[in-house]
């Protein structure tokens, strides 16, 4: 069985790839994108609401809370075409960069274990 940190990290990278609007992925069926978005959303909710809130006083608990919220926003970018508020659309590059930093931090930590 895979550790939850590995699953969350893979979900972060999957969400980043899907939300980046790469030309290669534009021909991907919408259903596949929605399934990935729902998985990213569920992992983000688990990361923030379950692990993050239970371990808020620890470094990884705070990291889980923030990265989980970012994953939920990223899932919304994938699920909706342009239905988000202009503020969220405006900050999309920043949100994706911060999520990428968390994903790399998680991946490096897992590799070092």
């Amino acid at each position: 069985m895979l550790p939850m940190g590995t699953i969350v990290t893979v979900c972060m990278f999957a969400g980043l790839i899907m939300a980046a609007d790469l030309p290669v992925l534009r021909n991907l069926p919408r259903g596949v994108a929605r399934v990935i978005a729902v998985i990213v959303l569920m992992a983000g909710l688990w990361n923030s609401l379950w692990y993050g809130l239970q371990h808020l006083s620890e470094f990884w608990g705070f990291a889980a809370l923030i990265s989980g919220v970012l994953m939920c926003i990223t899932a919304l970018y994938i699920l909706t075409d342009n239905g988000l508020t202009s503020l969220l659309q405006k900050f999309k590059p920043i949100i994706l960069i911060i999520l990428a930093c968390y994903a790399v931090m998680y991946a490096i930590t897992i590799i070092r274990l």
Side-chain angles (χ1 to χ4, degrees), residues 64-87:
L65 178 67
I66 300 301
S67 63
V69 169
L70 293 172
M71 288 172 69
C72 292
I73 295 171
T74 301
L76 293 176
Y77 287 137
I78 300 167
L79 285 172
T80 60
D81 293 326
N82 284 323
L84 296 175
T85 63
S86 62
L87 183 65

Side-chain angles (χ1 to χ4, degrees), residues 11-80:
C11 289
M12 281 188 218
F13 281 115
L16 286 167
I17 290 168
M18 292 303 297
D21 294 327
L22 300 173
V24 175
L25 298 177
R26 288 195 183 130
N27 294 331
L28 196 64
R30 189 73 182 135
V32 173
R34 286 187 178 162
V35 167
I36 292 171
V38 168
I39 292 170
V40 171
L41 180 64
M42 290 181 351
L45 289 172
W46 180 88
N47 210 25
S48 60
L49 298 179
W50 190 83
Y51 188 85
L53 290 180
Q54 285 190 4
H55 301 91
L56 196 53
S57 62
E58 302 168 12
F59 172 78
W60 286 110
F62 183 74
L65 178 67
I66 300 301
S67 63
V69 169
L70 293 172
M71 288 172 69
C72 292
I73 295 171
T74 301
L76 293 176
Y77 287 137
I78 300 167
L79 285 172
T80 60

